[in-house]
């Protein structure tokens, strides 16, 4: 009863909303300028193959260093960029920067890794998405085999034919397609057999309480088993401890990513990790 009254406290709710939206409006304005002034940079987080122990790839994670607002988290500004449509040019810039960086690493003679780029649903809805991706690959000279696109389950719940066509076109270029934050979306699992996917990335909320939570160990084991039966690879996100890593290895997870092995880092710092193994990472950390 008291709770209900509190919830309906109109003036409280109203002022709360206004405070949030004014920062949002400022940030959204800031995003226009950020795009013009090139205020975005990418950090990269390594991903390791549990079978070979080798570093298999990196995920590009955008950082916005704003002169006005300081470091703004992508969790805060990506949704604003999506609402305003600015994610389309920003996303294309991110894709280009990521592919250019991977090309530079290849040219410098580092062992090749796959570059994973997050793609928002709004970008995926663009009819010219595939043309743009092909253009970026052509201009940067990056082989499609060294690019991975991370999409969320929200993409899978869109118009079936358009999604299937775009994914098939992307796959025809040798690009890997993964489902990010797997297990947190609301979509039916039937998309797993409709679309040409390669990797399920288990959301870090399921990894956090491994190996102590019996619910989470059951869920993670079930996701790994399902992925394998569907001939998909499976990557665990947010691995922070040795116990989590050991559990995932014992249960046949294909790849791991997380602070335990490396936080996202600037390109120059990643260069010292390219070509290393899990064993050497653990050794250098201890
Ligand atoms: P995501 O794609 O699921 O990326 C993983 C997030 O988890 C990253 O946060 C990463 O720094 C964080 N993370 C990685 N390992 C650990 C760990 O062991 N523990 C914990 N607690 N966190 C870990 P970040 O960089 O803040 O990005 C947040 C989200 O913002 C991303 O989630 C993604 O949805 C979005 N995002 C980031 N960069 C881009 C981008 O270039 N384009 C788009 N469309 N979205 C992006
Ligand atoms: Mg991601
Ligand atoms: Mg994720
Ligand atoms: Mg996410």
């Amino acid at each position: 009863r008291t709770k209900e009254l509190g919830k309906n406290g109109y003036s409280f709710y109203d002022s709360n909303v206004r405070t949030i939206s004014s920062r949002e409006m400022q940030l959204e304005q800031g995003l226009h300028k950020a795009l013009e002034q090139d205020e975005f940079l990418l950090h990269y987080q390594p991903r390791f193959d549990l079978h070979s122990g080798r570093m298999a790839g990196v995920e590009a994670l955008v950082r916005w260093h704003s002169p006005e607002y300081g470091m703004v988290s992508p969790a805060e500004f990506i949704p604003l960029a999506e609402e305003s449509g600015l994610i389309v040019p920003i996303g294309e810039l991110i894709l280009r920067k990521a592919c250019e960086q991977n090309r530079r690493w290849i040219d410098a003679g580092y062992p090749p890794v796959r570059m994973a780029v997050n793609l928002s649903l709004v970008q995926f809805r663009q009819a010219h998405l595939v043309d743009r991706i092909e253009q970026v690959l052509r201009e940067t000279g990056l082989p499609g085999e060294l690019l991975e696109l991370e999409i969320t389950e929200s993409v899978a719940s869109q118009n079936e034919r358009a999604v299937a066509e775009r994914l098939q076109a992307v796959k025809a270029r040798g690009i890997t397609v993964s489902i990010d934050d797997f297990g947190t979306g609301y979509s039916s699992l039937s998309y797993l057999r409709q679309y040409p996917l390669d990797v399920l990335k288990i959301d870090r909320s399921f990894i956090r309480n491994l190996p102590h939570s019996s619910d989470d160990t059951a869920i993670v084991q079930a996701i790994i088993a399902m992925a394998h039966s569907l001939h998909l690879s499976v990557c665990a996100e947010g691995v922070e401890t040795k116990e989590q890593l050991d559990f995932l290895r014992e249960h046949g997870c294909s790849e791991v990513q997380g602070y335990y092995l490396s936080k996202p880092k600037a390109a120059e710092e990643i260069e010292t990790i390219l070509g290393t193994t899990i064993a050497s990472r653990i050794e250098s950390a201890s």
Side-chain angles (χ1 to χ4, degrees):
R1 190 110 201 105
T2 330
K3 227 178 178 176
E4 244 171 60
L5 286 171
K7 255 188 174 171
N8 296 333
Y10 191 82
S11 62
F12 166 74
Y13 183 71
D14 195 39
S15 69
N16 202 26
V17 165
R18 200 175 299 123
T19 314
I20 294 167
S21 1
S22 94
R23 174 167 164 94
E24 285 181 354
M25 271 159 61
Q26 286 177 332
L27 288 180
E28 198 189 302
Q29 283 306 308
L31 285 172
H32 285 273
K33 195 186 136 248
L35 191 56
E36 282 165 24
Q37 310 276 315
D38 199 21
E39 291 168 7
F40 298 110
L41 74 140
L42 297 183
H43 278 186
Y44 304 91
Q45 186 178 36
R47 221 161 105 175
F48 289 85
D49 182 313
L50 280 174
H51 301 294
S52 67
R54 296 220 150 267
M55 181 164 160
V58 294
E59 177 176 3
L61 294 157
V62 67
R63 299 291 178 255
W64 177 19
H65 193 88
S66 159
E68 288 87 13
Y69 309 107
M71 273 294 190
V72 188
S73 160
E76 183 172 22
F77 76 80
I78 293 285
L80 301 176
E82 286 174 340
E83 274 168 40
S84 62
L86 274 174
I87 192 65
V88 174
I90 293 174
E92 204 176 311
L93 180 76
I94 290 166
L95 179 69
R96 187 172 297 274
K97 281 180 190 266
C99 291
E100 277 168 358
Q101 182 58 67
N102 208 12
R103 181 73 229 186
R104 276 198 294 276
W105 283 332
I106 293 166
D107 292 343
Y110 290 106
V113 288
R114 219 158 53 210
M115 173 66 71
V117 178
N118 291 284
L119 217 61
S120 122
L121 171 62
V122 180
Q123 286 175 275
F124 201 84
R125 282 205 194 109
Q126 303 290 306
H128 60 248
L129 173 78
V130 177
D131 294 339
R132 286 300 154 82
I133 294 169
E134 287 181 346
Q135 191 186 350
V136 169
L137 288 180
R138 211 165 42 239
E139 287 172 9
T140 58
L142 186 73
E145 286 71 19
L146 294 182
L147 178 64
E148 174 168 334
L149 298 174
E150 296 193 3
I151 58 178
T152 57
E153 290 179 291
S154 61
V155 167
S157 61
Q158 299 291 298
N159 176 299
E160 217 175 282
R161 190 184 296 164
V163 173
E165 275 174 14
R166 271 163 220 177
L167 289 181
Q168 263 141 24
V170 156
K171 294 280 298 186
R173 298 295 317 250
I175 298 166
T176 300
V177 178
S178 54
I179 297 290
D180 203 358
D181 306 338
F182 182 76
T184 60
Y186 294 102
S187 103
S188 122
L189 287 177
S190 64
Y191 76 88
L192 292 176
R193 55 173 148 73
Q194 276 156 9
Y195 300 135
L197 306 169
D198 302 291
V199 184
L200 297 186
K201 293 191 78 178
I202 308 176
D203 189 72
R204 70 168 192 264
S205 58
F206 299 111
I207 307 301
R208 191 178 299 134
N209 299 315
L210 293 184
H212 308 291
S213 153
S214 57
D215 288 346
D216 290 339
T217 55
I219 290 170
V220 168
Q221 282 179 264
I223 295 175
I224 294 171
M226 181 184 68
H228 289 332
S229 330
L230 292 166
H231 306 289
L232 298 171
S233 180
V234 57
C235 175
E237 302 189 286
V239 177
E240 293 185 355
T241 68
K242 180 165 193 308
E243 289 69 38
Q244 293 166 348
L245 182 80
D246 290 343
F247 177 90
L248 291 160
R249 187 191 277 122
E250 276 160 29
H251 290 88
C253 186
S254 336
E255 289 182 27
V256 283
Q257 181 178 341
Y259 292 171
Y260 182 61
L261 294 165
S262 172
K263 290 198 167 179
K265 292 173 181 203
E268 313 81 67
E269 291 176 273
I270 288 296
E271 284 163 15
T272 66
I273 310 178
L274 288 170
T276 59
T277 60
I278 292 180
S280 70
R281 288 300 298 160
I282 295 172
E283 213 168 275
S284 71
S286 56

